[in-house]
Amino acid sequence: MMDTKEKILQKSLQLFNEFGISKVSQRKIAKCLSISPGNLTYHFKKKEDIEETLYFQLTTNISADFKKIDTDEINLSFILTLMNQVFTYIHTYRFVFLDIVYLIRSNPKISDDYKRLIKNRKKRFLQIYNSLLDAEILQNEKLPNEYEYLYKRLEILFDFYLSSVEISQKGITHNHIKKHSEIFLYSIFPYLTDKGQNEFIKLINRS
Amino acid sequence: MMDTKEKILQKSLQLFNEFGISKVSQRKIAKCLSISPGNLTYHFKKKEDIEETLYFQLTTNISADFKKIDTDEINLSFILTLMNQVFTYIHTYRFVFLDIVYLIRSNPKISDDYKRLIKNRKKRFLQIYNSLLDAEILQNEKLPNEYEYLYKRLEILFDFYLSSVEISQKGITHNHIKKHSEIFLYSIFPYLTDKGQNEFIKLINRS
């Protein structure tokens, strides 16, 4: 059986995803679970504590996946699988991405961790980049800063795709995981060598 | 001399940009201007009215610029100039982009207008796309959905670049206008024909 703490986290995640953090109070979470506000604050003193716990669940999951870069063979198929997995987590914890500016502006623990996380993400990107270059899957740069800017764009697509869906469409559905992955991966296609492009086309026809 | 209404708008813009909408009350705006709260609500009944007025100032400016697509010759130089201009507006009214998910979730007038605006933006993109294709500056598609996904990425970069800067760096400075424009434009470079790429390189060396 699920304990109260776990129930609070699951319900909070659902409410945060649906309404945005600022519209969900501790009182509302308690009411939806039919528990007393006192019972809730016994487990989580402030709403920020719930936000943080959920945020760290997300980043722990994503980091575990990114660690595979150290052990597995890095090719396009690996990247496709990794991205599908990561975008599934992003979708599950989407309130973090929909409210990321607010979270980072208002919560110092999350802000500090996010700075650590983007450094790590850049390191991982360079690992992938070097592997693809060695395997002659990626072309050499044609412009100064070309791959630095590509990386910046990938970062923005990673963090803000769901926000873009939220403001331009009728709501976020499960289909958006696959689409997020495709829109993200297609941005590397024109930088691939002929060998890389052929491999890419085979992969997307299979998936 | 500036009238009170204009003063309220300018101060609100500055405070919204600096602290985010949710941290700025009508009381705070009045206090910063040394006017009474009653004087402020005489001009703007609700905070939402200030948000809306500023939002429509922004979109009116951007739309006027985009109209040049109907009259001017469309080449890479035109696009570069247009983007620098538009990203200057985005920078000036950056609270709209930093809080866009919140604004669209909470303000029906802004939400409706934004839906209209993205339709218009897609139409403008297709105009530019067709002109560049006709002028043999852009390559033909190599993958199904390739340019649809490129467009989606451009949309996300357009709307969320400043949010990304806000959460990953120490604050948004004037330099980010040029950078926004570069990161945005570099994403079209690999889709250009040889002729287009040569033109592109000449342009960025000059700018």
Side-chain angles (χ1 to χ4, degrees), chain A residues 50-102:
Chain A
I50 306 180
E51 293 165 16
E52 279 163 30
T53 307
L54 290 170
Y55 169 87
F56 284 106
Q57 283 182 358
L58 165 71
T59 55
T60 306
N61 281 329
I62 291 186
S63 297
D65 269 343
F66 271 100
K67 278 212 183 92
K68 291 179 196 152
I69 293 173
D70 292 329
T71 51
D72 292 20
E73 193 202 339
I74 299 173
N75 52 31
L76 292 176
S77 165
F78 169 81
I79 298 171
L80 184 74
T81 309
L82 178 66
M83 286 303 121
N84 272 321
Q85 184 61 58
V86 169
F87 291 139
T88 304
Y89 290 130
I90 292 181
H91 188 264
T92 306
Y93 291 85
R94 56 190 172 276
F95 85 93
V96 171
F97 296 88
L98 296 176
D99 271 327
I100 196 157
V101 176
Y102 169 82

Side-chain angles (χ1 to χ4, degrees), chain A residues 16-23 98-102 104-106 114-115 118 142-146 148-149 152-153 155-157 159-161 163-169 179 182-187 189-191 197 200-201 204, chain B residues 16-23 98-102 104-106 114-115 118 142-146 148-149 152-153 155-157 159-161 163-169 179 182-187 189-191 197 200-201 204:
Chain A
F16 287 167
N17 280 344
E18 190 170 346
F19 302 106
I21 300 171
S22 61
K23 294 275 161 72
L98 296 176
D99 271 327
I100 196 157
V101 176
Y102 169 82
I104 285 175
R105 274 178 159 172
S106 68
Y114 183 80
K115 292 205 172 80
I118 51 177
K142 288 186 181 172
L143 289 174
N145 306 322
E146 193 170 14
E148 191 199 315
Y149 288 172
K152 191 72 211 161
R153 293 195 301 272
E155 223 179 19
I156 296 170
L157 290 173
D159 285 345
F160 292 102
Y161 173 73
S163 292
S164 171
V165 173
E166 175 75 14
I167 62 174
S168 63
Q169 289 171 40
K179 194 102 184 226
E182 279 179 6
I183 288 175
F184 184 92
L185 288 172
Y186 270 52
S187 59
F189 178 77
Y191 300 99
Q197 291 198 345
F200 188 98
I201 291 167
I204 57 156
Chain B
F16 288 166
N17 281 344
E18 191 170 346
F19 302 106
I21 300 171
S22 60
K23 295 274 161 72
L98 296 177
D99 271 326
I100 195 158
V101 176
Y102 170 83
I104 285 175
R105 274 178 159 173
S106 68
Y114 183 79
K115 293 207 171 77
I118 52 176
K142 288 187 182 174
L143 288 175
N145 305 323
E146 192 169 15
E148 190 199 315
Y149 287 171
K152 192 70 212 164
R153 292 194 302 270
E155 224 179 19
I156 297 170
L157 290 172
D159 285 344
F160 292 102
Y161 173 74
S163 293
S164 171
V165 172
E166 175 76 13
I167 61 174
S168 63
Q169 289 170 42
K179 194 101 185 227
E182 279 180 5
I183 288 176
F184 185 92
L185 288 172
Y186 270 52
S187 59
F189 178 77
Y191 300 100
Q197 291 197 343
F200 189 98
I201 290 167
I204 57 157

